[in-house]
Amino acid sequence: MFSGGAGPWEDDPNAGGWWGDEPPFGAPVFVVTHHEREPLTLGSTTFTFVTDGIEAAVRQARAAAGERDVQVCGGADVAQQALAAGLLDELHVHVAPLLLGSGVRLFERAEPGLVELTRIVESPRVMHLVYRVG
């Protein structure tokens, strides 16, 4: 949700992420990372970099959200961590076919029966899948 760089932040201390000067979130974003960095505010979005795992990031997000919902966004690795930690009620997967050749299997480490497909929304370029996590 912040950038595609895998290296430490000191390699590019001015890295502003993918979203430019006005990210579309308008709410706090907690970035799970191995690399420490001071929070970064762009427009009405503040990115906080969390180095102590998915549970800590979700805990901070819940505190910031109050009574509102918290969304966990990212790739298969982040989704696997959140599933394994029991942090998800529902999982939305957006499939836009593109042959990449390799990747991380989304449900590779999930317990059998953990997710149940509840909704499919199709369009010419993307398919949206909704799973209940239980």
Side-chain angles (χ1 to χ4, degrees), residues 23-34:
F25 307 111
V29 174
F30 298 87
V31 179
V32 179
T33 180
H34 295 290

Side-chain angles (χ1 to χ4, degrees), residues 1 15 25 35 41 43 46 54 61 72 75 81-82 84 104 106-107 119 123:
M1 291 302 297
F25 307 111
H35 307 289
T41 299
T46 298
I54 188 78
V72 176
Q81 291 176 51
V104 177
L106 180 58
F107 298 128
R119 186 168 180 219
S123 75

Side-chain angles (χ1 to χ4, degrees), residues 94-117:
H94 311 285
V95 180
L98 175 67
L99 183 58
L100 298 175
S102 67
V104 177
R105 294 175 185 263
L106 180 58
F107 298 128
E108 186 169 339
R109 295 183 283 182
E111 295 287 327
L114 178 65
V115 296
E116 176 187 350
L117 183 63

Side-chain angles (χ1 to χ4, degrees), residues 17-100:
W18 286 336
W19 304 103
D21 292 336
E22 188 64 48
F25 307 111
V29 174
F30 298 87
V31 179
V32 179
T33 180
H34 295 290
H35 307 289
E36 291 185 10
R37 180 175 180 169
E38 291 298 314
L40 174 66
T41 299
L42 298 169
S44 59
T45 300
T46 298
F47 294 93
T48 300
F49 301 89
V50 181
T51 58
D52 48 349
I54 188 78
E55 287 109 338
V58 171
R59 188 171 44 254
Q60 290 178 47
R62 284 181 176 152
E67 295 296 317
R68 295 173 292 174
D69 288 338
V70 169
Q71 295 181 2
V72 176
C73 302
D77 186 55
V78 168
Q80 286 176 353
Q81 291 176 51
L83 279 168
L87 299 172
L88 303 180
D89 300 317
E90 195 171 70
L91 182 64
H92 292 239
V93 179
H94 311 285
V95 180
L98 175 67
L99 183 58
L100 298 175

